[in-house]
Amino acid sequence: MTSMMVIQKFHPVGTGTFKTGFLRHLSTGESFQWVYDCGATSKTTLNRVLSTLPRKLVSLDMLVLSHFDNDHVNGVETLLRHCSVKTLVLPYSEWAQSVREISVLGKKGSSPSTAMLQLNPVQWLASRNFDVRVEEVVLIRRGPDATPVPSGNEGTEPNSREFQEDEPGQFSENYFSFGSSFSGNTSIRILPHNHSIQAVNGDFEFVFYNAEKDFSELGLIEQRCGQWYAKHSGWLLSDVKTDIQNTIMSTNLHQPLSGMPANWRKTLKDRYEYHFGHSGKAKNNISLCMYAAPVSQKFSICCIGSDRHCCRFRWRRTLRPATLCTGDIHLTAAVISDIQHHLGAQRWNRIGLTQVPHHGSQHSWEPGNAVLLAPTQFVHCASGSKHHPHPDVQADLSSSRVHCADRTQGVIIRYRL
């Protein structure tokens, strides 16, 4: 007897990522809707896809943003105008790394709006009147080196308020205030990535992986007499943060309707490099990966294919109903090993579909990855240009089953449990 139905779709936005998911527990009637990323290099294509979403998509249980590049987030404002969101899930990264990413990636990286979202998501929501539409922000940070409670084992996930006590302090230390308080309609949680988020009475789970490294691991700071200093400028770290915040405010980046000087990114980059050295160094690898699957170890009936040929889908029995979304993570053999260790063997062996990171870019993929990830199927979120997906990546995947969500067709994953 079918107890759960799950439908996921990588929408046809071309080079970008916009994935929706819906599950219904048939025995209880409970349902859960989520979105992973909402962006594309072609805003016209993205808006066309957003306009075709069903009218029932007015309330999301979870919206996950893997990172803050425009081609992953530039549809979020449109989405929030039409949908309320219970939980907005973002990757946690330290403020210096956020400043670096914003200043070096250029226009194709972060727009002023997405830069503000990264620097202070709570104030970004409030400044656009979205704080009444988003109930909570959950920041996923790299946690202790421990695998989340394995599927099927008895154990409880943390209570929703377990992480509340110290979070305002952690948030204010790592994000910029711009003279505003953090109070508002949206609450904040900071969740180590060794805890999952569960849905439909714990029968479905989302496990995240954040590969962030902190200041000290990146070699940006040093400790002297019990206090931390920027290694390059020698300034006390708290003074560095104040200085960079003043620089940001001088460009009016924190004012949503103000004009921006043309060189605002260079201004920010110069200040970053004054304190932390060349921006080409100390690069982090932050793109929030997400494992999604039912907890039950029973056989599922699954089909994967183009949304243009749904009638040709062939349903197959599988013990691999899990999907792994990767955003733009730089997927090396070491990172694959770390994700595998993080998820644990039981979850790892249930992955049936993996998103190829960064739209098939050769800069986020190493030859041999397909073998390490086998026997999973793969999906590209790419338009099919010269570099997305790149021929070297396609060659490595040549022996695997690969689907492509381009600008003309999406990829649907359906299964029943």
Side-chain angles (χ1 to χ4, degrees):
M1 178 180 175
T2 300
S3 61
M4 187 183 298
M5 176 187 69
V6 184
I7 302 173
Q8 301 175 76
K9 181 175 180 178
F10 289 92
H11 291 269
V13 297
T15 302
T17 303
F18 178 32
K19 180 192 175 188
T20 56
F22 173 80
L23 70 92
R24 182 179 296 280
H25 203 298
L26 301 182
S27 59
T28 66
E30 291 182 86
S31 63
F32 192 93
Q33 293 191 90
W34 73 95
V35 167
Y36 180 88
D37 283 345
C38 184
T41 54
S42 170
K43 194 68 181 293
T44 300
T45 302
L46 177 63
N47 287 335
R48 174 177 54 78
V49 171
L50 285 169
S51 69
T52 64
L53 293 178
R55 292 185 178 181
K56 65 180 180 180
L57 191 67
V58 295
S59 178
L60 289 174
D61 294 282
M62 186 170 70
L63 168 60
V64 181
L65 301 181
S66 63
H67 62 298
F68 299 94
D69 285 2
N70 277 349
D71 59 351
H72 290 256
V73 303
N74 60 2
V76 169
E77 290 194 51
T78 300
L79 189 69
L80 289 178
R81 291 189 193 103
H82 299 91
C83 295
S84 62
V85 175
K86 182 177 180 182
T87 301
L88 171 60
V89 179
L90 306 172
Y92 175 102
S93 64
E94 291 183 310
W95 55 265
Q97 176 65 21
S98 298
V99 170
R100 180 201 171 276
E101 288 183 342
I102 291 166
S103 64
V104 305
L105 293 180
K107 294 181 180 179
K108 292 184 179 180
S110 293
S111 67
S113 177
T114 55
M116 186 60 193
L117 171 60
Q118 187 168 4
L119 294 169
N120 188 319
V122 174
Q123 189 169 331
W124 180 86
L125 290 167
S127 68
R128 287 154 176 79
N129 296 319
F130 290 146
D131 56 327
V132 295
R133 304 187 70 84
V134 177
E135 191 172 317
E136 68 169 352
V137 171
V138 173
L139 300 161
I140 305 292
R141 69 181 303 172
R142 189 175 183 89
D145 188 17
T147 301
V149 178
S151 305
N153 284 13
E154 290 189 3
T156 58
E157 291 297 324
N159 180 275
S160 61
R161 298 297 167 192
E162 183 176 332
F163 297 93
Q164 286 291 333
E165 184 175 349
D166 191 43
E167 281 154 13
Q170 291 185 52
F171 186 83
S172 61
E173 287 175 8
N174 194 60
Y175 291 81
F176 295 96
S177 66
F178 306 120
S180 299
S181 68
F182 297 120
S183 61
N185 294 296
T186 304
S187 62
I188 309 161
R189 279 200 291 153
I190 298 176
L191 193 68
H193 73 173
N194 62 325
H195 289 288
S196 66
I197 290 178
Q198 297 186 332
V200 291
N201 199 32
D203 289 336
F204 196 94
E205 65 174 356
F206 301 88
V207 181
F208 298 94
Y209 171 80
N210 187 347
E212 62 145 344
K213 295 182 179 179
D214 61 25
F215 283 129
S216 56
E217 289 180 281
L218 292 169
L220 298 177
I221 60 175
E222 59 186 1
Q223 193 172 32
R224 301 198 304 263
C225 301
Q227 297 196 79
W228 289 100
Y229 294 80
K231 189 175 288 187
H232 193 264
S233 69
W235 286 32
L236 190 67
L237 198 58
S238 58
D239 292 338
V240 174
K241 186 184 177 189
T242 299
D243 180 55
I244 290 182
Q245 173 161 300
N246 290 337
T247 301
I248 294 169
M249 294 176 71
S250 73
T251 68
N252 287 327
L253 179 59
H254 65 304
Q255 300 289 350
L257 300 179
S258 65
M260 300 284 296
N263 65 341
W264 70 271
R265 289 186 183 84
K266 184 180 185 304
T267 300
L268 193 55
K269 179 180 178 181
D270 289 346
R271 212 61 205 150
Y272 171 92
E273 292 191 337
Y274 175 81
H275 291 295
F276 297 113
H278 196 279
S279 57
K281 299 179 181 179
K283 183 179 180 181
N284 223 327
N285 185 23
I286 296 176
S287 187
L288 198 61
C289 298
M290 184 180 79
Y291 166 101
V295 173
S296 172
Q297 301 297 306
K298 297 177 182 178
F299 271 103
S300 300
I301 304 175
C302 178
C303 64
I304 304 172
S306 165
D307 63 351
R308 297 175 63 186
H309 305 290
C310 297
C311 59
R312 302 179 190 175
F313 281 2
R314 295 184 62 184
W315 293 84
R316 303 175 185 273
R317 295 187 74 198
T318 181
L319 281 171
R320 290 181 167 271
T323 58
L324 180 65
C325 293
T326 58
D328 279 3
I329 197 167
H330 185 195
L331 203 59
T332 65
V335 171
I336 291 174
S337 177
D338 196 37
I339 296 174
Q340 184 175 4
H341 173 73
H342 172 67
L343 293 176
Q346 196 173 62
R347 287 189 179 99
W348 183 259
N349 292 329
R350 303 187 72 219
I351 298 173
L353 183 71
T354 298
Q355 177 193 10
V356 179
H358 206 170
H359 325 296
S361 168
Q362 64 173 333
H363 302 299
S364 293
W365 190 268
E366 288 188 345
N369 278 0
V371 173
L372 295 176
L373 293 164
T376 182
Q377 297 181 42
F378 297 92
V379 59
H380 289 300
C381 299
S383 300
S385 62
K386 182 178 179 180
H387 300 292
H388 297 95
H390 193 276
D392 291 347
V393 178
Q394 292 179 302
D396 192 55
L397 293 167
S398 60
S399 298
S400 305
R401 188 175 180 189
V402 182
H403 310 270
C404 187
D406 53 28
R407 290 182 183 173
T408 62
Q409 63 180 9
V411 174
I412 291 184
I413 309 100
R414 299 184 181 184
Y415 56 86
R416 301 194 297 260
L417 187 68

